[in-house]
Amino acid sequence: RSFLTILGVVIGTSSIVMMISLGLGLQQSLYEDANQSGGLTNISVTGAAVGDNNNYFASSQEEESNKYISDKTVQELAKLNHVVLSSPFYQLNCVMLKGNYEGYVDLYGTTEEALKAKNLELAFGTLPPPSGRLSFVYGNGLLTNFTEKGSNKGFYETGTLPDIDLMKDTLFLVMDSASYSNSQEVTNNDTANESNQENVKKPVNKMAVKASGVIKGGINDYTSYYSSAFCNIDVLKKTLKTQFGNSIIPGQPTTKGGKPYK
């Protein structure tokens, strides 16, 4: 009876300690995830998606351009009570190439102040400069986006990361991921139709880019920045205008006549 009593006390005490430890661990993990995403003080404001015909963002009498986020919108949000910082944020799905590897990456452009406010802990380098050539801060898991051309096998299939040093190696950036995908489909398909053949004739613009920094963490340290790349939005805007010229930039809204808004 004494042995069973002691055993019951030990099991009960151990269970309570274990549950408290698990609860505190989960709570700490939730706090860290929230802080990495901007915490409870960060609000993302979006307008209508490009091509969205719904009118819940603006009445039918309102100007079409008022549905979208503009520099004026950012300035107006900055004037609201208790707003410490209001910054534009632009997302672009692009392709990065290195040797026999290719990776589809979410690229985010924002201001220098907003990047500093994110408190990104870097293992190497610094934040992207506000002028000069386009450079990036890479997430610690960016290389998991890369796959080998032809086999389409990457880290999650092979368990091996590509032989790429993000801080030292130069990568090639393709901002028009749709054109790149079309060109790859035609290259891998001898029976491609004529419309795709036309896309192949259009050269895909590639530009050499380097890292300014890499976020701290190992391949198993998952964060909201894990597989993304960040850059300065002013440098990105200049680069986009150079790359696309008079063409429509991905995500750029247009008038009913097909002309892009400034």
Side-chain angles (χ1 to χ4, degrees):
R1 285 197 296 269
S2 298
F3 172 76
L4 290 175
T5 301
I6 294 171
L7 182 63
V9 171
V10 170
I11 292 174
T13 304
S14 300
S15 299
I16 293 172
V17 171
M18 186 184 282
M19 285 190 295
I20 292 174
S21 301
L22 181 61
L24 291 174
L26 289 172
Q27 185 182 49
Q28 184 63 29
S29 177
L30 287 172
Y31 285 156
E32 290 177 357
D33 288 343
N35 287 330
Q36 287 165 356
S37 302
L40 298 180
T41 62
N42 185 64
I43 300 174
S44 296
V45 181
T46 59
V50 174
D52 192 349
N53 294 321
N54 294 321
N55 287 324
Y56 45 79
F57 286 102
S59 65
S60 57
Q61 292 82 20
E62 195 171 358
E63 181 70 25
E64 173 73 16
S65 61
N66 289 342
K67 293 182 180 181
Y68 306 108
I69 298 292
S70 66
D71 290 340
K72 183 180 178 181
T73 314
V74 177
Q75 293 167 4
E76 290 175 348
L77 290 172
K79 296 176 183 177
L80 295 177
N81 292 334
H82 311 296
V83 172
V84 176
L85 176 67
S86 176
S87 299
F89 211 69
Y90 176 76
Q91 179 182 357
L92 174 70
N93 183 256
C94 61
V95 182
M96 289 186 170
L97 307 170
K98 175 64 178 178
N100 198 39
Y101 293 96
E102 62 181 6
Y104 285 82
V105 177
D106 283 329
L107 169 62
Y108 296 93
T110 189
T111 61
E112 185 177 17
E113 294 78 14
L115 283 173
K116 289 179 179 178
K118 286 183 175 296
N119 296 319
L120 299 176
E121 190 174 359
L122 303 182
F124 307 99
T126 61
L127 293 177
S131 60
R133 289 181 60 83
L134 188 66
S135 61
F136 301 102
V137 164
Y138 294 129
N140 55 291
L142 184 91
L143 290 180
T144 61
N145 291 339
F146 284 77
T147 57
E148 190 177 21
K149 293 180 182 178
S151 67
N152 289 327
K153 291 183 178 180
F155 172 74
Y156 295 109
E157 289 77 26
T158 64
T160 304
L161 291 172
D163 185 19
I164 300 174
D165 189 325
L166 291 176
M167 272 307 296
K168 296 181 180 179
D169 292 345
T170 298
L171 303 182
F172 288 93
L173 174 68
V174 179
M175 290 186 162
D176 193 350
S177 58
S179 293
Y180 178 81
S181 297
N182 287 336
S183 68
Q184 295 304 299
E185 287 176 7
V186 173
T187 301
N188 298 326
N189 187 1
D190 294 332
T191 60
N193 58 41
E194 293 181 2
S195 62
N196 279 342
Q197 292 290 356
E198 288 296 321
N199 288 330
V200 175
K201 295 177 183 178
K202 300 177 182 178
V204 177
N205 290 328
K206 302 176 185 177
M207 62 177 297
V209 293
K210 279 186 169 289
S212 65
V214 177
I215 295 175
K216 185 178 181 180
I219 204 66
N220 294 319
D221 296 324
Y222 299 99
T223 67
S224 55
Y225 314 131
Y226 181 75
S227 57
S228 304
F230 298 86
C231 65
N232 184 277
I233 194 168
D234 293 324
V235 180
L236 177 61
K237 282 159 67 174
K238 291 178 182 178
T239 307
L240 286 168
K241 290 176 182 177
T242 302
Q243 289 281 314
F244 288 91
N246 295 324
S247 302
I248 299 172
I249 295 171
Q252 187 176 17
T254 60
T255 64
K256 292 181 179 179
K259 295 183 178 180
Y261 288 111
K262 294 184 178 180

